Amino acid sequence: NAGVMQNPRHLVRRRGQEARLRCSPVKGHSHVYWYRQLPEEGLKFMVYLQKENIIDESGMPKERFSAEFPKEGPSILRIQQVVRGDSAAYFCASSPGLGTKNNSPLHFGNGTRLTVT
Amino acid sequence: AQKITQTQPGMFVQEKEAVTLDCTYDTSDPSYGLFWYKQPSSGEMIFLIYQGSYDQQNATEGRYSLNFQKARKSANLVISASQLGDSAMYFCAMREVYSSASKIIFGSGTRLSIRP
């Protein structure tokens, strides 16, 4: 029963490079969420995806950030031309399909700590 | 719009005492769920307890219970008989069923420190 798998655990990028963060949800989960956490702060919602669809990207910066959850393979959060302010922990979470149920907790990965130098 | 507020940035509690972590929320959705997560220093997010807006009884999970006061829009976490391993950040979170596409939003957290 593998949980949410995120890799890499730590990622160091120089300003201007691209960062690609991967997330494999719990087997059978069709919903993926990405959150960003700055030190000593809460988790900020970025984007919510289902297979091949972006459902809500209201928390995603309009530029440089993109996310996908293809039919096959992990979900990818991509940050182009990284800047120092992108340094944070990025958490992926998954849940099964909800319907009208609201009691499914999110299952979180251990996060990717991105450091931009 | 949904909103979660945790007004206690940090708390110190003596081991074996009970502790209450405050959480208030705002939503116009008639159906919603409330969650508490623990984040130890290692960084992972651990789900603790859930309360549905239509649940008649307060949720309990072992030493964790949720003091749900719907009219006051509060969902405080109570930890009984605190242990040193309870030292961590605690986040309150909410999911609306009909609006906001079922995303979960989090409060700013409370750092709980247990003194031996």
Side-chain angles (χ1 to χ4, degrees):
Chain A
N1 270 341
V4 177
M5 303 299 292
Q6 286 190 251
N7 66 83
R9 191 86 160 92
H10 300 275
L11 182 62
V12 179
R13 284 287 178 266
R14 291 198 187 96
R15 278 179 297 172
Q17 290 185 320
E18 178 180 288
R20 290 172 70 89
L21 288 62
R22 294 175 185 77
C23 168
S24 296
V26 172
K27 188 175 181 180
H29 284 190
S30 56
H31 296 230
V32 166
Y33 303 75
W34 285 94
Y35 288 83
R36 176 163 65 178
Q37 185 180 33
L38 295 172
E40 300 302 314
E41 293 189 10
L43 278 73
K44 302 296 185 189
F45 169 79
M46 298 182 73
V47 62
Y48 163 36
L49 310 106
Q50 294 177 21
K51 285 282 187 182
E52 300 184 279
N53 285 308
I54 296 175
I55 305 302
D56 183 345
E57 56 182 347
S58 58
M60 192 101 94
K62 292 287 185 275
E63 297 178 352
R64 302 188 297 108
F65 285 73
S66 62
E68 62 177 10
F69 187 19
K71 187 177 180 180
E72 301 290 338
S75 175
I76 304 288
L77 178 67
R78 182 182 178 205
I79 312 172
Q80 295 177 288
Q81 299 172 357
V82 295
V83 301
R84 288 218 173 114
D86 297 333
S87 295
Y90 291 84
F91 286 90
C92 171
S94 73
S95 73
L98 294 173
T100 55
K101 296 178 184 175
N102 63 352
N103 63 346
S104 297
L106 295 184
H107 299 257
F108 280 86
N110 287 331
T112 293
R113 272 112 187 117
L114 172 65
T115 302
V116 179
T117 61
Chain B
Q2 56 180 157
K3 186 178 178 182
I4 291 279
T5 302
Q6 294 180 255
T7 57
Q8 306 154 308
M11 289 187 70
F12 288 88
V13 172
Q14 203 68 30
E15 191 181 7
K16 299 182 185 176
E17 289 183 350
V19 57
T20 298
L21 305 181
D22 295 340
C23 173
T24 58
Y25 60 92
D26 192 19
T27 179
S28 56
D29 202 309
S31 182
Y32 51 90
L34 297 155
F35 304 82
W36 277 90
Y37 283 84
K38 173 184 179 181
Q39 187 179 41
S41 57
S42 51
E44 70 267 32
M45 294 289 290
I46 302 168
F47 166 69
L48 295 178
I49 195 167
Y50 163 82
Q51 179 83 45
S53 58
Y54 290 120
D55 292 345
Q56 295 298 314
Q57 293 187 327
N58 287 342
T60 60
E61 288 286 347
R63 293 187 299 113
Y64 303 110
S65 60
L66 205 152
N67 184 3
F68 180 46
Q69 298 186 44
K70 193 171 182 177
R72 299 177 64 180
K73 293 189 174 180
S74 75
N76 299 340
L77 177 70
V78 180
I79 305 174
S80 63
S82 57
Q83 302 171 356
L84 295 178
D86 295 333
S87 294
M89 284 289 287
Y90 288 81
F91 294 100
C92 181
M94 178 175 68
R95 167 190 276 148
E96 295 171 328
V97 173
Y98 297 112
S99 47
S100 73
S102 291
K103 68 189 179 193
I104 291 183
I105 65 161
F106 287 79
S108 56
T110 296
R111 180 172 294 284
L112 177 63
S113 300
I114 307 298
R115 292 192 180 111

